[in-house]
Amino acid sequence: MSKSVPLFKIPDHQVAGHQALNGQLGPLVDESGLFYKPLKDDRGLREADFYKTLLTDDRVPDHIRKFFPKSFGTQTLEASDKSGPLPHLVMENLMSKYANPSIIDFKIGSRTWYPEATDEYIDKCFKKDRETSSLYLGFRVSGMQIYENQDLGYWKPDRKLTITYTADDVKLVLRKFVSSNQASDFKKEPDCKFASTVYGGSSGILAQLQELKSWFEEQTIYHFYSSSVLIVFDKGSLLEGKKAAPTIKLVDFALVIEGNGILDHNFLGGLCSLIKFISDTNKDC
Amino acid sequence: MSKSVPLFKIPDHQVAGHQALNGQLGPLVDESGLFYKPLKDDRGLREADFYKTLLTDDRVPDHIRKFFPKSFGTQTLEASDKSGPLPHLVMENLMSKYANPSIIDFKIGSRTWYPEATDEYIDKCFKKDRETSSLYLGFRVSGMQIYENQDLGYWKPDRKLTITYTADDVKLVLRKFVSSNQASDFKKEPDCKFASTVYGGSSGILAQLQELKSWFEEQTIYHFYSSSVLIVFDKGSLLEGKKAAPTIKLVDFALVIEGNGILDHNFLGGLCSLIKFISDTNKDC
């Protein structure tokens, strides 16, 4: 009997980070619902370390674990850039349960660097935080896609634009995100048809963000620099009258450091700012 | 009948900011409970402007106004450095109702500069935020005094030390602040005798900080850079079995800018961090 070979492919719904396109190094997914992130540099190894620590860290309450992707250690497989076998971090593919997900990746914090980093690294991040929305809004839109319909597929604005969104841009995009009409058409006023379904309610995005916020008002064990909050729902299903499954996930942990008894005030401040934007959108819709 | 001349003197209980000692320019107080802050430079004028705006700003809810010092316009009087008549901002003397106040001045925010400032100003503040506790804790102790007793008077650690306090230093000082035994004696374990009276209860410091925090989770009209939260109570009265009158006040508004619809995530993050420190102290005491 021949051993079945898992079929790896490029993720369909990746909105931020390095992508395995055109023979470059990037993450892969398989048919079983797993996501493989290549561990090439120091950042990758630090992220793998964090996932390993998290698995056994009993200071993280059970009800908070749902906000982190499930992880399954590392596995060596052929890298997407054909450079040969490379260890990959194995995680759940957050998008595998969605037919046509709309996604926004918010990189949280007005500061994406940690105090102990090198001056060179701090200078680089500091410059980028000032040039993008991070310093002003306490977060930046690191990437996004909004499902339009079967014909048009996804609206995926250029990351160079999304990272510099102003407050008004963010408000508009948060309205487009939960609208049934065409997001890519800026002449159309978003109809906000799905706002209460996606943002509101006891299991909506806002309720989940509030639960996460409550943890950040208490936890002093980790500081999350340059991590993101993903918000996702299945717009495709919703358009067919099925469940939206609005979900938030924390992702990107290459720059998580020990909290040492101090609140992660940088992440918390940014998270509160994001909650305020979504809460206002939900009210105004 | 001769007109009575108000007697101006140097404030007894100023823990931060420029002081009118040794013929230098600084604030003055009078016998009627007023505090006069000299308006010499751009910073002073900006603070006077803020107080003027605040008086008529109906976006600030009534229950939040109690956290701001009352202000009464400007008045020209002889400057403390004998340089001649100078306009002064007239405010309530926050300390006039206390016999022997214990005070801590927390400058809030991991960042004391606003994005629109000059590069030179940003560089200067950025350096100081990194060298002091601000970047790490989300606030720094800008000054403090703890009343010991009639014989010893006040323990007033050097500001050069307080601004670089670590998390452990802050925890210790917050315990000393509400203890009946000698704060200046580091061999004595703080007895935390007054913790629940000062920090706890429906009108204690924590309840007031929570009320202020709720406003910062909503308000998008002002961003407070380099402003402080003062916490004060009358330890002298408490030692005599009288009321402590624990109070928080927002002070120092030379660098308040328009919020433009965005949360003050820098201030809010720092405020949450301070609340966590005080809340933990109150629990552990």
Side-chain angles (χ1 to χ4, degrees):
Chain A
M1 211 172 81
S2 73
K3 201 175 158 199
S4 75
V5 178
L7 188 69
F8 296 107
K9 56 175 200 131
I10 297 171
D12 285 327
H13 304 297
Q14 196 188 337
V15 298
H18 296 288
Q19 297 190 16
L21 296 168
N22 311 319
Q24 293 183 80
L25 187 64
L28 297 166
V29 293
D30 68 15
E31 302 279 315
S32 76
L34 294 176
F35 184 91
Y36 301 84
K37 202 168 175 177
L39 298 175
K40 188 142 192 194
D41 54 13
D42 197 42
R43 281 177 78 102
L45 296 172
R46 288 178 68 167
E47 180 157 39
D49 274 348
F50 173 75
Y51 273 107
K52 203 172 157 188
T53 306
L54 186 67
L55 281 175
T56 56
D57 189 344
D58 55 16
R59 299 169 302 177
V60 178
D62 284 342
H63 71 103
I64 294 301
R65 290 189 178 271
K66 65 173 174 284
F67 296 127
F68 293 92
K70 289 193 187 72
S71 67
F72 308 97
T74 58
Q75 189 180 318
T76 296
L77 51 106
E78 197 67 30
S80 65
D81 62 358
K82 315 282 181 206
S83 61
L86 193 73
H88 286 63
L89 178 60
V90 187
M91 293 183 284
E92 65 170 322
N93 177 359
L94 296 172
M95 300 308 153
S96 66
K97 68 172 180 171
Y98 297 99
N100 299 106
S102 284
I103 312 166
I104 312 184
D105 178 310
F106 295 98
K107 194 185 276 279
I108 305 291
S110 64
R111 194 158 40 84
T112 56
W113 50 272
Y114 55 103
E116 295 78 10
T118 62
D119 281 350
E120 193 188 346
Y121 182 82
I122 291 176
D123 286 349
K124 196 186 90 182
C125 294
F126 183 64
K127 193 164 173 281
K128 187 152 186 187
D129 295 342
R130 283 180 78 178
E131 287 166 357
T132 62
S133 324
S134 296
L135 182 62
Y136 301 89
L137 307 182
F139 60 83
R140 63 179 178 247
V141 176
S142 233
M144 59 176 290
Q145 67 175 30
I146 295 181
Y147 180 63
E148 302 278 31
N149 54 47
Q150 256 197 316
D151 291 338
L152 292 170
Y154 296 87
W155 176 55
K156 215 167 163 174
D158 191 330
R159 290 192 64 231
K160 280 188 198 115
L161 295 177
T162 66
I163 59 173
T164 59
Y165 274 173
T166 63
D168 285 342
D169 295 333
V170 169
K171 283 173 195 172
L172 179 60
V173 144
L174 285 171
R175 287 162 63 85
K176 283 177 179 285
F177 190 64
V178 292
S179 290
S180 73
N181 50 353
Q182 202 180 318
S184 56
D185 184 348
F186 277 72
K187 283 182 215 121
K188 287 210 177 83
E189 180 66 19
D191 63 16
C192 286
K193 193 175 166 188
F194 307 129
S196 60
T197 310
V198 174
Y199 295 145
S202 60
S203 60
I205 296 296
L206 277 168
Q208 294 177 53
L209 288 171
Q210 287 291 353
E211 192 178 358
L212 185 65
K213 177 188 161 199
S214 296
W215 185 54
F216 273 90
E217 287 175 329
E218 275 301 317
Q219 75 89 9
T220 59
I221 51 179
Y222 296 121
H223 286 188
F224 295 84
Y225 289 102
S226 213
S227 295
S228 286
V229 167
L230 278 187
I231 68 174
V232 195
F233 76 99
D234 202 329
K235 192 168 158 191
S237 296
L238 211 51
L239 289 171
E240 293 169 15
K242 295 185 225 154
K243 298 275 188 202
T247 306
I248 70 163
K249 291 284 177 185
L250 276 170
V251 296
D252 295 338
F253 307 120
L255 297 170
V256 178
I257 61 166
E258 289 279 327
N260 295 321
I262 301 164
L263 275 197
D264 190 354
H265 44 87
N266 176 60
F267 190 98
L268 178 57
L271 184 63
C272 289
S273 177
L274 175 61
I275 289 173
K276 175 70 175 160
F277 273 100
I278 298 181
S279 164
D280 283 354
T281 304
N282 193 36
K283 272 182 218 150
D284 299 345
C285 263
Chain B
M1 209 173 78
S2 72
K3 199 173 157 202
S4 75
V5 178
L7 188 69
F8 296 108
K9 58 174 201 131
I10 296 171
D12 285 328
H13 304 297
Q14 196 189 337
V15 297
H18 296 288
Q19 297 192 14
L21 297 167
N22 311 319
Q24 293 183 79
L25 187 64
L28 297 165
V29 293
D30 69 14
E31 301 279 314
S32 76
L34 294 176
F35 184 92
Y36 302 83
K37 201 167 176 177
L39 298 175
K40 190 143 191 194
D41 54 14
D42 195 43
R43 279 178 80 101
L45 295 173
R46 287 178 69 166
E47 180 158 39
D49 273 348
F50 173 75
Y51 273 107
K52 204 172 157 188
T53 306
L54 185 66
L55 282 175
T56 57
D57 189 345
D58 55 17
R59 299 170 301 177
V60 178
D62 284 343
H63 71 104
I64 293 301
R65 291 188 178 272
K66 64 174 176 284
F67 297 126
F68 293 91
K70 289 192 186 72
S71 67
F72 308 97
T74 59
Q75 190 180 315
T76 297
L77 50 106
E78 198 66 31
S80 65
D81 62 356
K82 315 282 181 206
S83 60
L86 193 73
H88 285 63
L89 177 61
V90 188
M91 291 182 284
E92 66 171 321
N93 177 359
L94 296 172
M95 299 307 152
S96 65
K97 66 171 181 172
Y98 298 99
N100 299 106
S102 283
I103 312 166
I104 312 185
D105 178 310
F106 296 98
K107 193 185 279 277
I108 305 291
S110 64
R111 193 156 45 83
T112 57
W113 50 273
Y114 55 102
E116 295 78 9
T118 62
D119 282 349
E120 192 188 348
Y121 182 82
I122 291 176
D123 286 348
K124 197 185 89 181
C125 293
F126 183 64
K127 192 164 174 280
K128 188 153 185 186
D129 295 342
R130 281 180 78 178
E131 286 166 359
T132 62
S133 324
S134 296
L135 182 62
Y136 302 88
L137 307 182
F139 61 84
R140 63 179 178 248
V141 176
S142 232
M144 58 174 292
Q145 67 174 30
I146 294 181
Y147 181 64
E148 301 278 33
N149 55 46
Q150 256 196 316
D151 290 339
L152 292 170
Y154 296 87
W155 176 55
K156 215 168 164 172
D158 191 329
R159 288 192 66 232
K160 281 187 199 116
L161 295 177
T162 67
I163 59 173
T164 59
Y165 274 173
T166 63
D168 285 341
D169 294 334
V170 169
K171 283 174 194 170
L172 179 60
V173 145
L174 285 171
R175 287 163 62 85
K176 283 177 179 286
F177 190 64
V178 292
S179 290
S180 74
N181 51 353
Q182 201 180 318
S184 56
D185 183 348
F186 277 72
K187 283 183 216 121
K188 286 211 177 83
E189 180 65 19
D191 63 16
C192 287
K193 194 175 166 186
F194 306 129
S196 61
T197 311
V198 174
Y199 295 145
S202 61
S203 60
I205 295 296
L206 277 169
Q208 293 176 56
L209 287 171
Q210 288 291 354
E211 193 178 358
L212 184 65
K213 177 189 161 197
S214 296
W215 185 55
F216 273 91
E217 287 174 328
E218 275 302 317
Q219 76 88 9
T220 59
I221 52 179
Y222 296 121
H223 286 189
F224 295 84
Y225 289 102
S226 212
S227 295
S228 287
V229 166
L230 278 185
I231 67 174
V232 195
F233 75 100
D234 201 329
K235 191 168 160 189
S237 296
L238 211 51
L239 289 170
E240 291 169 17
K242 294 186 227 156
K243 297 275 189 201
T247 306
I248 69 162
K249 291 283 177 188
L250 276 170
V251 296
D252 296 339
F253 307 119
L255 297 170
V256 178
I257 62 166
E258 290 278 329
N260 294 322
I262 301 163
L263 274 197
D264 190 354
H265 45 86
N266 176 60
F267 190 98
L268 177 56
L271 184 62
C272 289
S273 177
L274 175 61
I275 289 173
K276 174 70 174 161
F277 273 100
I278 297 180
S279 164
D280 283 353
T281 304
N282 193 37
K283 273 182 218 150
D284 299 344
C285 263

